[in-house]
Amino acid sequence: MLYTTRRGGLLENRYVFTGLNVLVNLVPIPFVIFITAVGPLTIALTGSRIGTEAFIVPAAIMTSSRRPGRPS
């Protein structure tokens, strides 16, 4: 939808594009805050805050906290 509503796209629509673009760019912010908050635990478990192994810790916590049938 973003691709087709952008400037020069098949369904060019500035208002739809701007709204969707803002929504898409705001969604990851809570996860970034969560990664920062879980940083000390990540360092204690993996010895690093950067990399694939370090990303697994907050990703696993976030995934395990979701209940079945609950919308994302």
Side-chain angles (χ1 to χ4, degrees):
M1 192 73 157
L2 274 173
Y3 183 78
T4 58
T5 58
R6 69 184 182 145
R7 188 180 317 176
L10 293 173
L11 303 171
E12 183 177 341
N13 187 326
R14 186 174 88 187
Y15 300 108
V16 172
F17 176 80
T18 302
L20 288 174
N21 194 34
V22 167
L23 181 66
V24 166
N25 288 322
L26 288 179
V27 169
I29 291 174
F31 188 68
V32 171
I33 294 169
F34 180 72
I35 288 174
T36 305
V38 180
L41 175 64
T42 303
I43 291 171
L45 294 174
T46 65
S48 176
R49 189 183 256 180
I50 300 172
T52 307
E53 291 177 356
F55 173 76
I56 290 172
V57 174
I61 293 170
M62 192 69 107
T63 303
S64 67
S65 67
R66 292 189 51 191
R67 286 180 259 145
R70 181 177 166 200
S72 8

